[in-house]
Amino acid sequence: MTVDTGPGAPLEPPRQSSLSTAAARNLATTTKSAPQMQGITSRWLLRTLPWVEVGGGTYRVNRRLSHTVGDGRVEFVQDGADVRVIPRELGELALLRGFEDVEVLTAIADRCVQRDFRAGETLVVRGAPAEQLHLIAHGRVRQTSVGKYGDETTVAVLADGDRFGEDVLLDSGARWACTATAETAGTLLTLDRADFDAALSAAPGLQDHVREFRSLLGRRRNRRGEAEIALSAGHTGEPALPGTFVDYELKPREYELSVAQTVLRIHTRVADLYNDPMDQTEEQLRLVIEALRERQEHELINNREFGLLHNADFKQRIQTHSGPPTPDDLDELLCRRRGSKFFLAHPRTIAAIGREFNSRGLYPNHVDLGGQQVPAWRGVPILPCNKIPITKENTSSVLVMRTGEDNQGVIGLRKTGLPEEYEPGLSVRFMGIDERSIISYLVSTYYSAAVLVPDALGVLENVQIARSHD
């Protein structure tokens, strides 16, 4: 037989002379990683929050009775370009707190007049006669005054739901203590003192309420709004000592433990045959627990009942001075409380903080926290938390808190010693095997958070985190 080996003859593929790698893998034990999960974060809040044992499923925060009233924000309803104040929301004003006659509140709300303002507009002037209450429905307003040395100083930055001129309703000779200037375009509702007086004269119940309010103003209070404790100091001889007692809130806040649960299902065939070299049940359980812990931290930040963003006292919510997060803004947060333990911010917000600091030639130090180096300002760590939301306008919030039960701070709540507890506060309970040979486990974790006193938690709101173009 003649074989054509000429230049145009087709080439035969080379014969295999050794075992292929693809075949060899069938007989080899590969080196493999444990199952990976992209959703795992550092979860600094869960790691740094002190956890308090809640035996009965409910934690009650007892506080001293406070005479501070009307410290909430006013809410509005919008109908196209028209804005109206919700009558019951007028109860957030100090003067109307606790007054529940809806008919009278509606009459007062109907007397509020809408006013749209533009950025840069001066709304009131310091020293001018004050005759109106202003409710901010939307926008930012800066209040300024004259400092000790004649320079202009910022007193406050107000935003949606805030108000100014509340004292006007009871003081016919009031004058504006600050100049109010609009930083953005927006809308406010105004209530003239004359209109309020007309509603007052037609409502005997409101007249009684106002008289009681005036009597409350006459009581001695400390700077936190709590009833003053009568004391005597520096005396000599045998003077009669004042008698006193410490009163408490009659309806203290109670926090019930929330729950995050899921059912983990694994086929018996998988558990029986594919548990080497890794235990499939343990790996499945590990990933489920990671997801539950992520959800737990999200709820501690965002839950409307106990989440920190929704439970920060309104007086502890401040606005940035210019939009981006500056050192002055962080200092404003720190100065409102003692013993701040850490800041909490979205990673993008931390990047914006770094840009602002660097633009001023400042380079924050780092501190050791659990063996990790983290950035800090004034010695207070700045920790990342991607559960803090970012709005479509590229704004976010920065939280700062004092922690611990002994420090009257923010605490985490949980119940340990659960049946079939797998981790502190987390249980894995066997639910049985169904007719399809599926093993089921109920995975549950119970948790909540509590703010023991209002100044334990502060929030810097409307932080602009977008990179500037200049």
Side-chain angles (χ1 to χ4, degrees):
M1 179 177 179
T2 302
V3 178
D4 185 4
T5 58
L11 298 177
E12 295 182 359
R15 290 188 177 91
Q16 181 175 326
S17 59
S18 64
L19 181 66
S20 70
T21 55
R25 288 182 60 187
N26 293 329
L27 300 180
T29 299
T30 59
T31 301
K32 56 184 70 68
S33 73
Q36 305 298 300
M37 179 176 175
Q38 295 188 65
I40 298 176
T41 65
S42 55
R43 298 198 294 267
W44 277 106
L45 180 60
L46 297 187
R47 294 162 57 183
T48 54
L49 206 59
W51 292 92
V52 173
E53 180 73 13
V54 180
T58 301
Y59 186 88
R60 177 180 296 162
V61 179
N62 289 310
R63 293 176 179 170
R64 285 183 56 190
L65 181 63
S66 174
H67 293 301
T68 301
V69 292
D71 57 356
R73 292 185 176 179
V74 180
E75 295 184 5
F76 305 82
V77 292
Q78 184 177 1
D79 183 8
D82 296 330
V83 177
R84 303 187 308 276
V85 61
I86 300 172
R88 286 187 179 276
E89 287 296 312
L90 291 174
E92 298 294 345
L93 303 178
L95 175 59
L96 299 177
R97 186 66 177 268
F99 183 72
E100 298 180 351
D101 190 327
V102 179
E103 184 176 349
V104 176
L105 293 177
T106 301
I108 297 174
D110 290 341
R111 295 175 181 270
C112 294
V113 179
Q114 180 174 338
R115 174 185 174 185
D116 296 325
F117 56 85
R118 64 183 184 278
E121 181 179 349
T122 300
L123 303 178
V124 301
V125 178
R126 178 177 178 270
E131 299 177 349
Q132 294 174 320
L133 163 69
H134 297 279
L135 310 174
I136 303 175
H138 179 64
R140 283 165 52 97
V141 176
R142 182 181 297 272
Q143 289 183 308
T144 58
S145 186
V146 177
K148 181 178 180 180
Y149 301 101
D151 55 329
E152 184 179 275
T153 59
T154 297
V155 176
V157 178
L158 308 178
D160 303 10
D162 288 325
R163 68 270 184 185
F164 58 98
E166 203 167 340
D167 297 338
V168 169
L169 300 181
L170 294 180
D171 186 1
S172 59
R175 291 184 175 272
W176 294 115
C178 305
T179 297
T181 306
E183 290 196 325
T184 66
T187 301
L188 55 78
L189 299 181
T190 64
L191 175 64
D192 287 336
R193 183 173 59 247
D195 288 333
F196 177 77
D197 289 342
L200 179 64
S201 62
L206 181 58
Q207 296 172 19
D208 294 338
H209 181 84
V210 170
R211 279 193 292 270
E212 183 179 355
F213 177 79
R214 288 182 182 276
S215 68
L216 283 177
L217 292 179
R219 298 184 187 179
R220 296 184 61 187
R221 296 176 290 172
N222 63 20
R223 63 188 181 92
R224 298 295 185 185
E226 299 167 331
E228 192 74 66
I229 296 179
L231 300 172
S232 179
H235 52 272
T236 58
E238 299 179 352
L241 297 180
T244 188
F245 66 96
V246 180
D247 206 354
Y248 302 119
E249 290 183 351
L250 296 180
K251 296 181 179 180
R253 172 75 182 272
E254 291 186 347
Y255 295 85
E256 293 186 2
L257 292 185
S258 183
V259 61
Q261 291 178 309
T262 189
V263 176
L264 172 62
R265 296 184 175 92
I266 303 174
H267 200 287
T268 54
R269 187 186 305 118
V270 173
D272 293 342
L273 302 180
Y274 301 100
N275 268 351
D276 185 40
M278 297 180 187
D279 189 316
Q280 294 283 0
T281 301
E282 287 296 322
E283 292 300 325
Q284 288 279 300
L285 186 57
R286 178 178 65 85
L287 297 179
V288 166
I289 291 175
E290 293 284 1
L292 278 179
R293 293 304 191 193
E294 292 290 332
R295 183 65 187 185
Q296 178 181 355
E297 186 174 67
H298 178 276
E299 292 293 305
L300 290 176
I301 293 291
N302 298 287
N303 187 280
R304 296 192 65 85
E305 295 296 325
F306 58 84
L308 300 182
L309 281 178
H310 295 282
N311 281 270
D313 189 87
F314 288 120
K315 291 185 177 179
Q316 299 299 327
R317 299 172 186 258
I318 64 174
Q319 305 294 315
T320 60
H321 289 81
S322 58
T326 66
D328 294 338
D329 295 322
L330 299 189
D331 284 341
E332 181 75 12
L333 273 180
L334 291 177
C335 76
R336 289 172 175 254
R337 66 201 36 80
R338 57 179 173 83
S340 297
K341 288 297 183 181
F342 57 85
F343 294 99
L344 207 63
H346 193 282
R348 288 182 57 191
T349 306
I350 295 178
I353 292 174
R355 288 196 301 270
E356 291 300 315
F357 277 47
N358 293 343
S359 67
R360 291 164 170 77
L362 299 174
Y363 303 95
N365 294 326
H366 285 66
V367 297
D368 181 87
L369 198 63
Q372 289 185 250
Q373 292 293 312
V374 297
W377 177 245
R378 308 291 190 191
V380 180
I382 305 174
L383 304 179
C385 178
N386 69 342
K387 315 304 186 303
I388 300 175
I390 295 177
T391 68
K392 61 182 180 180
E393 292 84 12
N394 274 318
T395 61
S396 188
S397 301
V398 177
L399 287 76
V400 66
M401 63 192 77
R402 179 177 68 247
T403 60
E405 204 172 21
D406 293 339
N407 291 327
Q408 300 184 109
V410 180
I411 58 174
L413 307 175
R414 70 182 180 188
K415 173 71 169 68
T416 59
L418 301 170
E420 301 181 56
E421 190 170 59
Y422 189 84
E423 292 180 356
L426 184 145
S427 66
V428 180
R429 308 185 75 171
F430 177 68
M431 298 176 63
I433 305 175
D434 65 14
E435 66 277 2
R436 294 175 296 172
S437 300
I438 302 295
I439 309 173
S440 297
Y441 297 92
L442 176 64
V443 188
S444 307
T445 181
Y446 301 91
Y447 56 88
S448 187
V451 182
L452 298 187
V453 294
D455 74 347
L457 173 66
V459 180
L460 179 65
E461 297 183 318
N462 297 316
V463 179
Q464 182 60 246
I465 64 175
R467 186 184 294 272
S468 61
H469 295 289
D470 45 47

